[in-house]
Each structure stands twice: as C-alpha cells, then as structure tokens.
C-alpha cells in the first residue's frame, strides 16, 4: 500500500517569501505529525493533528508557521516570510493511535532551502 | 533542553560483529521508546520499540534494552551487516497514544565489509 507522501521533495525560496508544504498521510491514519530536521540535528516536533483538529501545536517556532488539515487526510504546513533559519528538512508522519502505540510512519520529507 | 540524547554521533563496526547504540533520557514521564533508522534522502523507518514496563525487546537481529533507573536504553544489532549502515534515531513518548515523539540527535552507524 501507499506510504506517506510529501510534496515538493525540494523547495528553494528567497528570504521573505511564503512557502506551502504538503503531506498525504497513509489512508485511514487519523493522527498526523509535522517535524523538522535541521542539518546535523535530530527531529524537532512541530504540530500534531488528530483528525482535523490540532491538540498539540506547541512545537511551532513562531507565528510565521501554521498548519491545517482537511478531510482527515491532506495537511499543509505554511511558512510565511521565510527566514534562513527555516532551512531544514520538513518531515510528515502519520499513525493509527491505539493500534501500534505511537509507531509513526514517515514520509521522505521536503528539503527547504531559504536563500 | 535536550530530553533525549545520543552521545555518539558515529559508530563504526566490522561486518558480523555486534553494534551497540546508546541513548539517554531525562524525562521520567517517558513511557515508550522507539528506534528509527534513516537512510539519506528518505524518511525515518521504524525499527523496534519497548514499553517502560519491559526491560528487553527482541526482533530478529535487533534487541533493545531499557534501564529505567539509569534512564538509559541501548540498541544491539547482531550480527551487523553492511546494509545496516544508516543513521539511527532514538525516540521517546509520554502519555497517551498519539503524543509527540522526542528524538535524539542520531548516531551514524557504518558497518564495514
């Protein structure tokens, strides 16, 4: 079956521009997570969706970051007025809570480069 | 503060030998621990996990040990194979299913033929 997919795979943008990253979770997975990985670092939690609501968005680093999820499926992460420190790989994961305790399935990520 | 730490950024072992990757945590609320493997340009893939009510979980060549009193866990791979060469991340979660994972910085494992 299809895994988690993300688009685009790479995004190069200029400082100050807005970017939108997309995640398609595994069909039927009600939980969806966004993480980011800066160069040489571990994964940093950004936001968690259960269905279409976000009970935990405490990891969003600033109000320039927002995310939404519709139809308990696709999610988009939007970064407004991008800064160079936003350069990272943005990873999306999905899971089916209660079945495999917190086993999250990751997509390949979107590599964002802010010039 | 770094709640999950992997103090060795890299580890090199010979094919057929044992690989031991270590992870320490500080948050006593963590009750579930996972190891993920990551190849370049791919997302992390789940490898093995352990609940805090256990001290060992084994799956084929992979065994995870948990020492709660020391807040330490380790992943043993035996025998190591060249295809095991990847970055290994330790992760932890607290509370109910669906909560966030807190990751360590990762350890690059290289298995030499």
């Amino acid at each position: 079956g299809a895994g988690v997919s993300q688009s685009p795979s790479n995004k190069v943008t200029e400082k100050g521009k807005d970017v939108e990253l997309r995640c398609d979770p595994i069909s039927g997975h009600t939980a969806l997570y966004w993480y980011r990985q800066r160069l040489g670092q571990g994964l940093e939690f950004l936001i968690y969706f259960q269905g279409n609501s976000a009970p935990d968005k405490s990891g969003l680093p600033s109000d320039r970051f927002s995310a939404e999820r519709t139809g308990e499926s696709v999610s988009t992460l939007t970064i407004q007025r991008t800064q160079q420190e936003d350069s990272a790989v943005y990873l999306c994961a999905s899971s089916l809570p209660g079945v495999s305790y917190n086993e999250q399935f990751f997509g390949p990520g979107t590599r964002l480069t802010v010039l | 503060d770094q709640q999950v730490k992997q103090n060795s950024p890299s580890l090199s072992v010979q094919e057929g030998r044992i690989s031991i990757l270590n992870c320490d945590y500080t948050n006593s609320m963590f009750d579930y621990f996972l190891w993920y493997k990551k190849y370049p340009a791919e997302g992390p893939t789940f490898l093995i996990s352990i609940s805090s009510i256990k001290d060992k979980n084994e799956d084929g060549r992979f065994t995870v040990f948990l020492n709660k009193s020391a807040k330490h866990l380790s992943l043993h791979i035996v025998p190591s194979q060249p295809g095991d060469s990847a970055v290994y991340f330790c992760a932890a979660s607290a509370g109910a299913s669906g909560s966030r994972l807190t990751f360590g910085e990762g350890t690059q494992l290289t298995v030499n033929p």
Side-chain angles (χ1 to χ4, degrees):
Chain A
V4 178
S5 61
Q6 293 186 245
S7 60
S9 54
N10 280 284
K11 176 72 176 176
V12 180
T13 190
E14 294 179 347
K15 178 181 171 181
K17 300 279 180 131
D18 297 352
V19 296
E20 198 170 275
L21 313 179
R22 177 187 169 109
C23 171
D24 283 88
I26 293 171
S27 177
H29 279 195
T30 56
L32 186 148
Y33 308 80
W34 284 96
Y35 294 85
R36 75 175 173 184
Q37 184 183 18
R38 288 170 160 158
L39 191 63
Q41 298 186 22
L43 281 71
E44 174 190 6
F45 168 80
L46 298 177
I47 187 170
Y48 155 56
F49 286 93
Q50 177 56 44
N52 292 338
S53 63
D56 186 357
K57 49 180 124 176
S58 60
L60 294 177
S62 77
D63 58 7
R64 296 186 295 106
F65 288 71
S66 63
E68 65 175 17
R69 188 179 185 195
T70 55
E72 295 196 351
S73 179
V74 172
S75 176
T76 55
L77 176 69
T78 301
I79 309 173
Q80 295 178 309
R81 306 181 302 282
T82 52
Q83 303 294 312
Q84 288 181 332
E85 65 260 26
D86 299 334
S87 296
V89 176
Y90 288 81
L91 291 152
C92 175
S94 69
S95 73
L96 195 55
V99 176
S100 297
Y101 188 99
N102 258 348
E103 179 185 331
Q104 297 177 15
F105 297 83
F106 283 83
T110 293
R111 180 174 296 278
L112 175 65
T113 303
V114 182
L115 301 176
Chain B
D1 63 338
Q2 191 70 25
Q3 297 186 55
V4 178
K5 282 194 71 65
Q6 295 175 253
N7 289 314
S8 298
S10 63
L11 174 68
S12 183
V13 301
Q14 280 302 118
E15 180 178 6
R17 299 288 185 104
I18 185 171
S19 296
I20 300 176
L21 297 100
N22 293 302
C23 177
D24 296 290
Y25 63 95
T26 58
N27 189 342
S28 56
M29 298 300 292
F30 289 146
D31 60 359
Y32 200 75
F33 304 90
L34 307 90
W35 285 93
Y36 280 82
K37 179 168 78 171
K38 187 180 183 304
Y39 294 115
E42 295 182 12
T45 55
F46 170 76
L47 195 56
I48 192 169
S49 62
I50 188 167
S51 163
S52 61
I53 62 173
K54 296 186 174 181
D55 54 19
K56 176 182 174 181
N57 188 28
E58 190 172 353
D59 183 3
R61 297 186 297 114
F62 303 91
T63 303
V64 56
F65 295 92
L66 175 62
N67 182 335
K68 281 191 296 184
S69 61
K71 293 191 175 66
H72 176 85
L73 63 156
S74 60
L75 174 68
H76 292 210
I77 307 172
V78 56
S80 301
Q81 300 173 355
D84 296 330
S85 297
V87 177
Y88 288 77
F89 289 99
C90 170
S93 73
S97 172
S99 51
R100 65 167 74 180
L101 293 177
T102 301
F103 283 83
E105 307 95 323
T107 297
Q108 170 70 57
L109 173 67
T110 302
V111 180
N112 301 302

